Amino acid sequence: MENIRVIIWGFGAMGSGMAKMLLNKKGVEIVGVCDRNKARVGKDMYEVLGIERGERKPVIISNRIEDVAKEGAVDIALLATDSFTKTAFEKIKLIVKNKINVISTAEEMAYPQAQEPELTKEMDRLAKENGVSILGTGINPGLIMDLLVVTLTGCMLDVEHIEAKRVNSLSPFGRAVMEEQGVGITVEEFNKGVEDKTLAGHVGFAESIRMIGDAIGWPIEKIETQMKPIVTTVDRKAPYGFAAAGNVAGVNMTGQGYVNGQIKINMIHPQQIEPEMEGTFTGDYITIKGTPEVNMSIKPEVEGGLGTIAMCVNMIPHVINALPGLKTMIDLPVPRAIMGDMRDLVQR
């Protein structure tokens, strides 16, 4: 069987990380890369990654997706460019029309029906029309604060209340995430960004809450979210972000999902660059009240950057195997590390 052929659209922190992971896997090969960064365009992918190419074919990075998303020459595309369904839609549409499966890192794509029901229907229609599948995933949303929660309810007779808390570091993520979280700006700029909705903060609470609700049969009637700045008292520097003392190092996001007028799902998500510099230690915590009660803690956190990279790569065979259409993590087999030949998991 031929190798699974992959293209990557977006070659920043996430896209290049996926490439490095794929190059260490068996049964898969990268056949194209698209990126708009002028410093990367025209260069061999291996040169950009700082990896010896050896006997492998060169992969020249293009700024034209038409050069790499070619019908019949690609099995799946990893799209690592956006956070929102609206901005990812046209890219997904272009890929799907070339009969290529898609995995997107866009946070809203983890459960796009939560906020974009019409675009969800259109993506599902396009995917079925072209015989391919679409999935949005990552570490969060995609696993920690939604799919893992859903999985843990499987051992329960009844569920009364869910709390998911993720205390994490933003340091591994790229510039787009730094801007969404307000890293490096003043408190005044942060508050203005919250007020005029130009500051996104964590993207994905609505998606995680609705995924959980739909999975266990809770009709979510209302979702509320809050954003507060995390202000640093020392200079903090990450690979793609910097916050001077007195400025914003991250954001404390909270959210609630209501059922019958009561808060049934509570989300707590403080995230910042270099949190240990001021005594904050990362971790993931899930508390589910019911019968029996479930309490889970992971300390330190599942590292966000590597986790997102791995989720996208490890879901490749499951997306290829899926019936055509738009999928979510509750539609597909459970994610797992692939330590053998990736082709062994593909049903052809």
Side-chain angles (χ1 to χ4, degrees), residues 79 84-94 96-97 100 102 104 106 108-136 324-328:
L79 180 60
F84 306 102
T85 299
K86 281 183 178 179
T87 53
F89 173 74
E90 290 298 332
K91 299 181 183 75
I92 291 169
K93 180 178 178 181
L94 187 152
V96 165
K97 284 196 168 184
I100 300 169
V102 183
S104 169
E108 285 188 355
M109 280 297 299
Y111 210 71
Q113 50 267 63
Q115 299 192 78
E116 300 290 350
E118 294 307 314
L119 287 181
T120 298
K121 291 176 184 177
E122 179 63 7
M123 285 187 288
D124 187 55
R125 183 192 70 78
L126 286 167
K128 289 174 178 174
E129 185 179 278
N130 288 280
V132 295
S133 296
I134 303 167
L135 174 70
L326 175 66
K327 308 298 179 184
T328 73

mmCIF file of all heavy atoms in Angstrom, residues 79 84-94 96-97 100 102 104 106 108-136 324-328:
data_model
loop_
_atom_site.group_PDB
_atom_site.id
_atom_site.type_symbol
_atom_site.label_atom_id
_atom_site.label_comp_id
_atom_site.label_asym_id
_atom_site.label_seq_id
_atom_site.Cartn_x
_atom_site.Cartn_y
_atom_site.Cartn_z
ATOM 1 N N LEU A 79 -4.792 21.637 8.295
ATOM 2 C CA LEU A 79 -4.989 23.081 8.170
ATOM 3 C C LEU A 79 -4.713 23.746 9.511
ATOM 4 O O LEU A 79 -5.472 23.579 10.467
ATOM 5 C CB LEU A 79 -6.420 23.367 7.706
ATOM 6 C CG LEU A 79 -6.824 24.832 7.515
ATOM 7 C CD1 LEU A 79 -5.961 25.511 6.479
ATOM 8 C CD2 LEU A 79 -8.301 24.917 7.145
ATOM 9 N N PHE A 84 -11.207 30.502 13.948
ATOM 10 C CA PHE A 84 -12.647 30.641 13.815
ATOM 11 C C PHE A 84 -13.169 29.922 12.569
ATOM 12 O O PHE A 84 -12.520 29.901 11.521
ATOM 13 C CB PHE A 84 -13.014 32.124 13.753
ATOM 14 C CG PHE A 84 -12.463 32.907 14.919
ATOM 15 C CD1 PHE A 84 -11.322 33.697 14.773
ATOM 16 C CD2 PHE A 84 -13.059 32.829 16.165
ATOM 17 C CE1 PHE A 84 -10.807 34.401 15.843
ATOM 18 C CE2 PHE A 84 -12.545 33.535 17.241
ATOM 19 C CZ PHE A 84 -11.413 34.316 17.086
ATOM 20 N N THR A 85 -14.378 29.377 12.697
ATOM 21 C CA THR A 85 -14.995 28.656 11.584
ATOM 22 C C THR A 85 -15.164 29.560 10.370
ATOM 23 O O THR A 85 -14.906 29.144 9.230
ATOM 24 C CB THR A 85 -16.360 28.092 12.015
ATOM 25 O OG1 THR A 85 -16.172 27.181 13.105
ATOM 26 C CG2 THR A 85 -17.031 27.355 10.861
ATOM 27 N N LYS A 86 -15.597 30.805 10.585
ATOM 28 C CA LYS A 86 -15.835 31.716 9.462
ATOM 29 C C LYS A 86 -14.567 31.940 8.641
ATOM 30 O O LYS A 86 -14.623 32.001 7.409
ATOM 31 C CB LYS A 86 -16.372 33.062 9.969
ATOM 32 C CG LYS A 86 -17.843 33.051 10.304
ATOM 33 C CD LYS A 86 -18.308 34.445 10.720
ATOM 34 C CE LYS A 86 -19.796 34.461 11.009
ATOM 35 N NZ LYS A 86 -20.260 35.811 11.444
ATOM 36 N N THR A 87 -13.426 32.106 9.313
ATOM 37 C CA THR A 87 -12.188 32.387 8.582
ATOM 38 C C THR A 87 -11.576 31.119 7.995
ATOM 39 O O THR A 87 -10.830 31.190 7.023
ATOM 40 C CB THR A 87 -11.168 33.082 9.486
ATOM 41 O OG1 THR A 87 -10.970 32.319 10.684
ATOM 42 C CG2 THR A 87 -11.648 34.480 9.867
ATOM 43 N N ALA A 88 -11.897 29.973 8.573
ATOM 44 C CA ALA A 88 -11.371 28.710 8.040
ATOM 45 C C ALA A 88 -12.222 28.165 6.894
ATOM 46 O O ALA A 88 -11.738 27.360 6.084
ATOM 47 C CB ALA A 88 -11.293 27.664 9.145
ATOM 48 N N PHE A 89 -13.460 28.617 6.792
ATOM 49 C CA PHE A 89 -14.425 27.994 5.879
ATOM 50 C C PHE A 89 -13.965 27.963 4.422
ATOM 51 O O PHE A 89 -14.016 26.920 3.775
ATOM 52 C CB PHE A 89 -15.778 28.703 5.978
ATOM 53 C CG PHE A 89 -16.766 28.222 4.957
ATOM 54 C CD1 PHE A 89 -17.380 26.987 5.084
ATOM 55 C CD2 PHE A 89 -17.076 28.988 3.843
ATOM 56 C CE1 PHE A 89 -18.288 26.524 4.139
ATOM 57 C CE2 PHE A 89 -17.967 28.551 2.885
ATOM 58 C CZ PHE A 89 -18.584 27.310 3.038
ATOM 59 N N GLU A 90 -13.534 29.107 3.888
ATOM 60 C CA GLU A 90 -13.160 29.137 2.474
ATOM 61 C C GLU A 90 -11.961 28.226 2.185
ATOM 62 O O GLU A 90 -11.890 27.611 1.116
ATOM 63 C CB GLU A 90 -12.862 30.566 2.025
ATOM 64 C CG GLU A 90 -14.081 31.466 1.943
ATOM 65 C CD GLU A 90 -15.114 30.992 0.922
ATOM 66 O OE1 GLU A 90 -14.721 30.332 -0.067
ATOM 67 O OE2 GLU A 90 -16.310 31.269 1.120
ATOM 68 N N LYS A 91 -11.032 28.136 3.118
ATOM 69 C CA LYS A 91 -9.886 27.242 2.940
ATOM 70 C C LYS A 91 -10.351 25.792 2.923
ATOM 71 O O LYS A 91 -9.928 24.986 2.080
ATOM 72 C CB LYS A 91 -8.860 27.468 4.058
ATOM 73 C CG LYS A 91 -8.265 28.871 4.116
ATOM 74 C CD LYS A 91 -7.237 28.962 5.239
ATOM 75 C CE LYS A 91 -6.676 30.381 5.376
ATOM 76 N NZ LYS A 91 -7.627 31.313 6.010
ATOM 77 N N ILE A 92 -11.229 25.458 3.873
ATOM 78 C CA ILE A 92 -11.752 24.092 3.931
ATOM 79 C C ILE A 92 -12.524 23.767 2.656
ATOM 80 O O ILE A 92 -12.377 22.681 2.085
ATOM 81 C CB ILE A 92 -12.644 23.928 5.178
ATOM 82 C CG1 ILE A 92 -11.778 23.991 6.439
ATOM 83 C CG2 ILE A 92 -13.427 22.626 5.126
ATOM 84 C CD1 ILE A 92 -12.565 24.098 7.733
ATOM 85 N N LYS A 93 -13.311 24.707 2.196
ATOM 86 C CA LYS A 93 -14.096 24.509 0.975
ATOM 87 C C LYS A 93 -13.189 24.215 -0.211
ATOM 88 O O LYS A 93 -13.449 23.280 -1.000
ATOM 89 C CB LYS A 93 -14.929 25.760 0.702
ATOM 90 C CG LYS A 93 -15.798 25.702 -0.542
ATOM 91 C CD LYS A 93 -16.603 26.996 -0.674
ATOM 92 C CE LYS A 93 -17.454 27.005 -1.937
ATOM 93 N NZ LYS A 93 -18.215 28.283 -2.065
ATOM 94 N N LEU A 94 -12.108 24.970 -0.348
ATOM 95 C CA LEU A 94 -11.179 24.764 -1.458
ATOM 96 C C LEU A 94 -10.549 23.371 -1.406
ATOM 97 O O LEU A 94 -10.461 22.666 -2.418
ATOM 98 C CB LEU A 94 -10.086 25.835 -1.426
ATOM 99 C CG LEU A 94 -9.103 25.894 -2.587
ATOM 100 C CD1 LEU A 94 -8.588 27.311 -2.770
ATOM 101 C CD2 LEU A 94 -7.929 24.941 -2.407
ATOM 102 N N VAL A 96 -11.700 20.644 0.181
ATOM 103 C CA VAL A 96 -12.719 19.610 0.010
ATOM 104 C C VAL A 96 -13.127 19.471 -1.446
ATOM 105 O O VAL A 96 -13.359 18.352 -1.942
ATOM 106 C CB VAL A 96 -13.931 19.929 0.914
ATOM 107 C CG1 VAL A 96 -15.151 19.109 0.510
ATOM 108 C CG2 VAL A 96 -13.576 19.671 2.381
ATOM 109 N N LYS A 97 -13.214 20.589 -2.157
ATOM 110 C CA LYS A 97 -13.595 20.519 -3.569
ATOM 111 C C LYS A 97 -12.551 19.807 -4.413
ATOM 112 O O LYS A 97 -12.834 19.387 -5.545
ATOM 113 C CB LYS A 97 -13.862 21.930 -4.105
ATOM 114 C CG LYS A 97 -15.208 22.488 -3.648
ATOM 115 C CD LYS A 97 -15.614 23.685 -4.470
ATOM 116 C CE LYS A 97 -17.061 24.048 -4.221
ATOM 117 N NZ LYS A 97 -17.526 25.154 -5.090
ATOM 118 N N ILE A 100 -10.137 16.152 -0.969
ATOM 119 C CA ILE A 100 -9.096 15.896 0.035
ATOM 120 C C ILE A 100 -9.725 16.021 1.419
ATOM 121 O O ILE A 100 -10.429 16.992 1.705
ATOM 122 C CB ILE A 100 -7.936 16.905 -0.115
ATOM 123 C CG1 ILE A 100 -7.303 16.788 -1.507
ATOM 124 C CG2 ILE A 100 -6.886 16.698 0.974
ATOM 125 C CD1 ILE A 100 -6.341 17.929 -1.832
ATOM 126 N N VAL A 102 -9.842 16.784 5.448
ATOM 127 C CA VAL A 102 -9.277 17.934 6.166
ATOM 128 C C VAL A 102 -9.311 17.700 7.676
ATOM 129 O O VAL A 102 -10.329 17.268 8.218
ATOM 130 C CB VAL A 102 -10.052 19.235 5.869
ATOM 131 C CG1 VAL A 102 -9.386 20.417 6.577
ATOM 132 C CG2 VAL A 102 -10.157 19.498 4.387
ATOM 133 N N SER A 104 -8.585 20.351 10.815
ATOM 134 C CA SER A 104 -8.317 21.756 11.104
ATOM 135 C C SER A 104 -8.013 21.955 12.584
ATOM 136 O O SER A 104 -8.637 21.325 13.445
ATOM 137 C CB SER A 104 -9.537 22.608 10.731
ATOM 138 O OG SER A 104 -9.414 23.930 11.217
ATOM 139 N N ALA A 106 -8.482 24.922 13.908
ATOM 140 C CA ALA A 106 -9.332 26.040 14.324
ATOM 141 C C ALA A 106 -10.188 25.621 15.513
ATOM 142 O O ALA A 106 -10.950 24.650 15.423
ATOM 143 C CB ALA A 106 -10.209 26.500 13.160
ATOM 144 N N GLU A 108 -12.914 26.728 16.910
ATOM 145 C CA GLU A 108 -14.357 26.644 16.691
ATOM 146 C C GLU A 108 -14.743 25.443 15.836
ATOM 147 O O GLU A 108 -15.879 24.969 15.908
ATOM 148 C CB GLU A 108 -14.872 27.927 16.048
ATOM 149 C CG GLU A 108 -14.954 29.103 16.996
ATOM 150 C CD GLU A 108 -15.655 30.302 16.375
ATOM 151 O OE1 GLU A 108 -16.001 30.270 15.172
ATOM 152 O OE2 GLU A 108 -15.872 31.278 17.122
ATOM 153 N N MET A 109 -13.796 24.929 15.039
ATOM 154 C CA MET A 109 -14.095 23.776 14.193
ATOM 155 C C MET A 109 -14.207 22.473 14.984
ATOM 156 O O MET A 109 -14.656 21.462 14.461
ATOM 157 C CB MET A 109 -13.020 23.632 13.113
ATOM 158 C CG MET A 109 -13.194 24.553 11.934
ATOM 159 S SD MET A 109 -14.734 24.241 11.024
ATOM 160 C CE MET A 109 -14.482 22.539 10.491
ATOM 161 N N ALA A 110 -13.843 22.504 16.269
ATOM 162 C CA ALA A 110 -14.006 21.301 17.089
ATOM 163 C C ALA A 110 -15.479 20.941 17.243
ATOM 164 O O ALA A 110 -15.824 19.761 17.416
ATOM 165 C CB ALA A 110 -13.363 21.504 18.464
ATOM 166 N N TYR A 111 -16.353 21.940 17.195
ATOM 167 C CA TYR A 111 -17.800 21.717 17.254
ATOM 168 C C TYR A 111 -18.482 22.922 16.633
ATOM 169 O O TYR A 111 -19.125 23.726 17.304
ATOM 170 C CB TYR A 111 -18.258 21.520 18.708
ATOM 171 C CG TYR A 111 -19.463 20.614 18.838
ATOM 172 C CD1 TYR A 111 -19.350 19.246 18.609
ATOM 173 C CD2 TYR A 111 -20.711 21.128 19.177
ATOM 174 C CE1 TYR A 111 -20.454 18.406 18.716
ATOM 175 C CE2 TYR A 111 -21.818 20.300 19.295
ATOM 176 C CZ TYR A 111 -21.687 18.941 19.065
ATOM 177 O OH TYR A 111 -22.777 18.098 19.169
ATOM 178 N N PRO A 112 -18.347 23.079 15.314
ATOM 179 C CA PRO A 112 -18.796 24.319 14.660
ATOM 180 C C PRO A 112 -20.282 24.572 14.757
ATOM 181 O O PRO A 112 -20.727 25.720 14.667
ATOM 182 C CB PRO A 112 -18.342 24.117 13.201
ATOM 183 C CG PRO A 112 -18.223 22.636 13.037
ATOM 184 C CD PRO A 112 -17.756 22.125 14.368
ATOM 185 N N GLN A 113 -21.077 23.509 14.947
ATOM 186 C CA GLN A 113 -22.517 23.698 15.074
ATOM 187 C C GLN A 113 -22.899 24.525 16.298
ATOM 188 O O GLN A 113 -24.013 25.044 16.380
ATOM 189 C CB GLN A 113 -23.248 22.352 15.107
ATOM 190 C CG GLN A 113 -22.711 21.328 16.086
ATOM 191 C CD GLN A 113 -21.708 20.398 15.460
ATOM 192 O OE1 GLN A 113 -20.654 20.847 15.024
ATOM 193 N NE2 GLN A 113 -22.013 19.106 15.410
ATOM 194 N N ALA A 114 -21.962 24.700 17.229
ATOM 195 C CA ALA A 114 -22.242 25.490 18.428
ATOM 196 C C ALA A 114 -22.530 26.946 18.102
ATOM 197 O O ALA A 114 -23.402 27.567 18.727
ATOM 198 C CB ALA A 114 -21.066 25.397 19.408
ATOM 199 N N GLN A 115 -21.791 27.507 17.136
ATOM 200 C CA GLN A 115 -21.957 28.933 16.829
ATOM 201 C C GLN A 115 -22.195 29.219 15.346
ATOM 202 O O GLN A 115 -22.606 30.334 15.013
ATOM 203 C CB GLN A 115 -20.721 29.706 17.287
ATOM 204 C CG GLN A 115 -20.461 29.618 18.787
ATOM 205 C CD GLN A 115 -19.419 30.611 19.252
ATOM 206 O OE1 GLN A 115 -19.716 31.793 19.415
ATOM 207 N NE2 GLN A 115 -18.195 30.138 19.464
ATOM 208 N N GLU A 116 -21.930 28.250 14.497
ATOM 209 C CA GLU A 116 -22.080 28.467 13.053
ATOM 210 C C GLU A 116 -22.891 27.325 12.421
ATOM 211 O O GLU A 116 -22.385 26.547 11.603
ATOM 212 C CB GLU A 116 -20.711 28.563 12.386
ATOM 213 C CG GLU A 116 -19.823 29.688 12.884
ATOM 214 C CD GLU A 116 -20.323 31.060 12.480
ATOM 215 O OE1 GLU A 116 -21.249 31.139 11.648
ATOM 216 O OE2 GLU A 116 -19.791 32.058 13.008
ATOM 217 N N PRO A 117 -24.165 27.202 12.786
ATOM 218 C CA PRO A 117 -24.959 26.074 12.282
ATOM 219 C C PRO A 117 -25.104 26.034 10.769
ATOM 220 O O PRO A 117 -25.096 24.944 10.174
ATOM 221 C CB PRO A 117 -26.315 26.245 12.972
ATOM 222 C CG PRO A 117 -26.353 27.686 13.404
ATOM 223 C CD PRO A 117 -24.943 28.051 13.708
ATOM 224 N N GLU A 118 -25.222 27.202 10.128
ATOM 225 C CA GLU A 118 -25.402 27.214 8.673
ATOM 226 C C GLU A 118 -24.114 26.793 7.953
ATOM 227 O O GLU A 118 -24.156 26.026 6.987
ATOM 228 C CB GLU A 118 -25.863 28.594 8.207
ATOM 229 C CG GLU A 118 -27.246 28.974 8.705
ATOM 230 C CD GLU A 118 -28.298 27.917 8.381
ATOM 231 O OE1 GLU A 118 -28.320 27.429 7.231
ATOM 232 O OE2 GLU A 118 -29.084 27.572 9.287
ATOM 233 N N LEU A 119 -22.966 27.312 8.411
ATOM 234 C CA LEU A 119 -21.703 26.897 7.813
ATOM 235 C C LEU A 119 -21.438 25.419 8.074
ATOM 236 O O LEU A 119 -20.851 24.718 7.246
ATOM 237 C CB LEU A 119 -20.544 27.741 8.364
ATOM 238 C CG LEU A 119 -20.446 29.183 7.872
ATOM 239 C CD1 LEU A 119 -19.244 29.875 8.497
ATOM 240 C CD2 LEU A 119 -20.357 29.239 6.347
ATOM 241 N N THR A 120 -21.873 24.927 9.222
ATOM 242 C CA THR A 120 -21.736 23.504 9.538
ATOM 243 C C THR A 120 -22.486 22.652 8.519
ATOM 244 O O THR A 120 -21.956 21.665 8.004
ATOM 245 C CB THR A 120 -22.261 23.217 10.956
ATOM 246 O OG1 THR A 120 -21.472 23.948 11.902
ATOM 247 C CG2 THR A 120 -22.193 21.740 11.283
ATOM 248 N N LYS A 121 -23.728 23.041 8.230
ATOM 249 C CA LYS A 121 -24.529 22.305 7.243
ATOM 250 C C LYS A 121 -23.868 22.346 5.868
ATOM 251 O O LYS A 121 -23.849 21.345 5.146
ATOM 252 C CB LYS A 121 -25.941 22.900 7.165
ATOM 253 C CG LYS A 121 -26.781 22.665 8.400
ATOM 254 C CD LYS A 121 -28.127 23.375 8.276
ATOM 255 C CE LYS A 121 -28.941 23.239 9.555
ATOM 256 N NZ LYS A 121 -30.227 23.997 9.485
ATOM 257 N N GLU A 122 -23.316 23.518 5.509
ATOM 258 C CA GLU A 122 -22.690 23.645 4.190
ATOM 259 C C GLU A 122 -21.419 22.802 4.104
ATOM 260 O O GLU A 122 -21.164 22.163 3.076
ATOM 261 C CB GLU A 122 -22.385 25.113 3.907
ATOM 262 C CG GLU A 122 -21.706 25.394 2.564
ATOM 263 C CD GLU A 122 -22.552 25.019 1.357
ATOM 264 O OE1 GLU A 122 -23.732 24.654 1.522
ATOM 265 O OE2 GLU A 122 -22.013 25.100 0.230
ATOM 266 N N MET A 123 -20.606 22.801 5.156
ATOM 267 C CA MET A 123 -19.390 21.974 5.143
ATOM 268 C C MET A 123 -19.741 20.494 5.078
ATOM 269 O O MET A 123 -19.087 19.722 4.361
ATOM 270 C CB MET A 123 -18.526 22.273 6.370
ATOM 271 C CG MET A 123 -17.787 23.589 6.281
ATOM 272 S SD MET A 123 -16.601 23.855 7.633
ATOM 273 C CE MET A 123 -17.718 24.154 9.005
ATOM 274 N N ASP A 124 -20.764 20.098 5.807
ATOM 275 C CA ASP A 124 -21.194 18.700 5.777
ATOM 276 C C ASP A 124 -21.668 18.321 4.377
ATOM 277 O O ASP A 124 -21.327 17.250 3.847
ATOM 278 C CB ASP A 124 -22.316 18.486 6.794
ATOM 279 C CG ASP A 124 -22.707 17.027 6.945
ATOM 280 O OD1 ASP A 124 -21.814 16.196 7.232
ATOM 281 O OD2 ASP A 124 -23.897 16.711 6.771
ATOM 282 N N ARG A 125 -22.421 19.226 3.751
ATOM 283 C CA ARG A 125 -22.905 18.970 2.387
ATOM 284 C C ARG A 125 -21.748 18.858 1.404
ATOM 285 O O ARG A 125 -21.706 17.916 0.591
ATOM 286 C CB ARG A 125 -23.849 20.098 1.956
ATOM 287 C CG ARG A 125 -24.476 19.900 0.575
ATOM 288 C CD ARG A 125 -25.161 21.147 0.076
ATOM 289 N NE ARG A 125 -24.215 22.193 -0.262
ATOM 290 C CZ ARG A 125 -23.494 22.212 -1.409
ATOM 291 N NH1 ARG A 125 -23.613 21.226 -2.295
ATOM 292 N NH2 ARG A 125 -22.677 23.210 -1.647
ATOM 293 N N LEU A 126 -20.804 19.779 1.477
ATOM 294 C CA LEU A 126 -19.656 19.766 0.566
ATOM 295 C C LEU A 126 -18.818 18.505 0.745
ATOM 296 O O LEU A 126 -18.355 17.901 -0.234
ATOM 297 C CB LEU A 126 -18.787 21.002 0.800
ATOM 298 C CG LEU A 126 -19.324 22.333 0.280
ATOM 299 C CD1 LEU A 126 -18.536 23.497 0.864
ATOM 300 C CD2 LEU A 126 -19.279 22.369 -1.247
ATOM 301 N N ALA A 127 -18.611 18.113 1.990
ATOM 302 C CA ALA A 127 -17.808 16.921 2.259
ATOM 303 C C ALA A 127 -18.476 15.678 1.690
ATOM 304 O O ALA A 127 -17.821 14.841 1.042
ATOM 305 C CB ALA A 127 -17.576 16.774 3.757
ATOM 306 N N LYS A 128 -19.775 15.552 1.905
ATOM 307 C CA LYS A 128 -20.499 14.377 1.384
ATOM 308 C C LYS A 128 -20.519 14.389 -0.137
ATOM 309 O O LYS A 128 -20.370 13.346 -0.783
ATOM 310 C CB LYS A 128 -21.918 14.360 1.947
ATOM 311 C CG LYS A 128 -21.955 14.013 3.427
ATOM 312 C CD LYS A 128 -23.359 14.136 3.999
ATOM 313 C CE LYS A 128 -23.388 13.727 5.468
ATOM 314 N NZ LYS A 128 -24.704 13.962 6.094
ATOM 315 N N GLU A 129 -20.693 15.562 -0.718
ATOM 316 C CA GLU A 129 -20.726 15.699 -2.180
ATOM 317 C C GLU A 129 -19.409 15.287 -2.815
ATOM 318 O O GLU A 129 -19.374 14.742 -3.915
ATOM 319 C CB GLU A 129 -21.037 17.160 -2.520
ATOM 320 C CG GLU A 129 -21.226 17.464 -3.986
ATOM 321 C CD GLU A 129 -21.559 18.928 -4.205
ATOM 322 O OE1 GLU A 129 -22.743 19.297 -4.048
ATOM 323 O OE2 GLU A 129 -20.633 19.707 -4.501
ATOM 324 N N ASN A 130 -18.301 15.514 -2.087
ATOM 325 C CA ASN A 130 -16.973 15.211 -2.628
ATOM 326 C C ASN A 130 -16.340 13.950 -2.051
ATOM 327 O O ASN A 130 -15.192 13.633 -2.347
ATOM 328 C CB ASN A 130 -16.044 16.402 -2.398
ATOM 329 C CG ASN A 130 -16.387 17.581 -3.299
ATOM 330 O OD1 ASN A 130 -16.006 17.608 -4.475
ATOM 331 N ND2 ASN A 130 -17.124 18.542 -2.768
ATOM 332 N N GLY A 131 -17.089 13.232 -1.224
ATOM 333 C CA GLY A 131 -16.632 11.943 -0.734
ATOM 334 C C GLY A 131 -15.482 11.995 0.254
ATOM 335 O O GLY A 131 -14.660 11.067 0.301
ATOM 336 N N VAL A 132 -15.414 13.075 1.066
ATOM 337 C CA VAL A 132 -14.320 13.218 2.037
ATOM 338 C C VAL A 132 -14.896 13.604 3.401
ATOM 339 O O VAL A 132 -16.086 13.844 3.545
ATOM 340 C CB VAL A 132 -13.298 14.273 1.583
ATOM 341 C CG1 VAL A 132 -12.600 13.834 0.313
ATOM 342 C CG2 VAL A 132 -13.960 15.646 1.397
ATOM 343 N N SER A 133 -14.011 13.670 4.406
ATOM 344 C CA SER A 133 -14.427 14.023 5.753
ATOM 345 C C SER A 133 -13.654 15.231 6.267
ATOM 346 O O SER A 133 -12.523 15.478 5.845
ATOM 347 C CB SER A 133 -14.221 12.840 6.701
ATOM 348 O OG SER A 133 -15.050 11.761 6.330
ATOM 349 N N ILE A 134 -14.276 15.964 7.203
ATOM 350 C CA ILE A 134 -13.690 17.150 7.822
ATOM 351 C C ILE A 134 -13.738 16.969 9.333
ATOM 352 O O ILE A 134 -14.755 16.538 9.883
ATOM 353 C CB ILE A 134 -14.493 18.417 7.458
ATOM 354 C CG1 ILE A 134 -14.582 18.604 5.935
ATOM 355 C CG2 ILE A 134 -13.888 19.656 8.119
ATOM 356 C CD1 ILE A 134 -15.618 19.657 5.516
ATOM 357 N N LEU A 135 -12.645 17.313 10.001
ATOM 358 C CA LEU A 135 -12.603 17.261 11.459
ATOM 359 C C LEU A 135 -11.851 18.466 11.997
ATOM 360 O O LEU A 135 -10.804 18.847 11.459
ATOM 361 C CB LEU A 135 -11.886 15.992 11.934
ATOM 362 C CG LEU A 135 -11.657 15.881 13.453
ATOM 363 C CD1 LEU A 135 -12.977 15.647 14.191
ATOM 364 C CD2 LEU A 135 -10.653 14.781 13.777
ATOM 365 N N GLY A 136 -12.356 19.049 13.064
ATOM 366 C CA GLY A 136 -11.605 20.045 13.820
ATOM 367 C C GLY A 136 -11.199 19.432 15.141
ATOM 368 O O GLY A 136 -12.026 18.814 15.815
ATOM 369 N N PRO A 324 -18.095 9.989 4.563
ATOM 370 C CA PRO A 324 -18.011 11.400 4.179
ATOM 371 C C PRO A 324 -18.919 12.294 5.018
ATOM 372 O O PRO A 324 -20.022 11.912 5.408
ATOM 373 C CB PRO A 324 -18.450 11.384 2.713
ATOM 374 C CG PRO A 324 -18.087 10.021 2.229
ATOM 375 C CD PRO A 324 -18.355 9.121 3.395
ATOM 376 N N GLY A 325 -18.413 13.497 5.316
ATOM 377 C CA GLY A 325 -19.199 14.468 6.057
ATOM 378 C C GLY A 325 -18.352 15.214 7.062
ATOM 379 O O GLY A 325 -17.151 14.965 7.207
ATOM 380 N N LEU A 326 -18.979 16.155 7.748
ATOM 381 C CA LEU A 326 -18.323 16.900 8.817
ATOM 382 C C LEU A 326 -18.421 16.089 10.101
ATOM 383 O O LEU A 326 -19.512 15.703 10.522
ATOM 384 C CB LEU A 326 -18.989 18.258 8.998
ATOM 385 C CG LEU A 326 -18.484 19.110 10.161
ATOM 386 C CD1 LEU A 326 -17.042 19.539 9.937
ATOM 387 C CD2 LEU A 326 -19.373 20.322 10.370
ATOM 388 N N LYS A 327 -17.280 15.835 10.734
ATOM 389 C CA LYS A 327 -17.235 15.017 11.940
ATOM 390 C C LYS A 327 -16.749 15.838 13.129
ATOM 391 O O LYS A 327 -16.110 16.883 12.974
ATOM 392 C CB LYS A 327 -16.293 13.819 11.743
ATOM 393 C CG LYS A 327 -16.576 12.991 10.488
ATOM 394 C CD LYS A 327 -17.961 12.378 10.512
ATOM 395 C CE LYS A 327 -18.240 11.580 9.242
ATOM 396 N NZ LYS A 327 -19.627 11.055 9.211
ATOM 397 N N THR A 328 -17.035 15.336 14.332
ATOM 398 C CA THR A 328 -16.461 15.889 15.550
ATOM 399 C C THR A 328 -15.818 14.740 16.320
ATOM 400 O O THR A 328 -15.966 13.571 15.964
ATOM 401 C CB THR A 328 -17.523 16.575 16.434
ATOM 402 O OG1 THR A 328 -18.352 15.564 17.045
ATOM 403 C CG2 THR A 328 -18.382 17.531 15.618
#
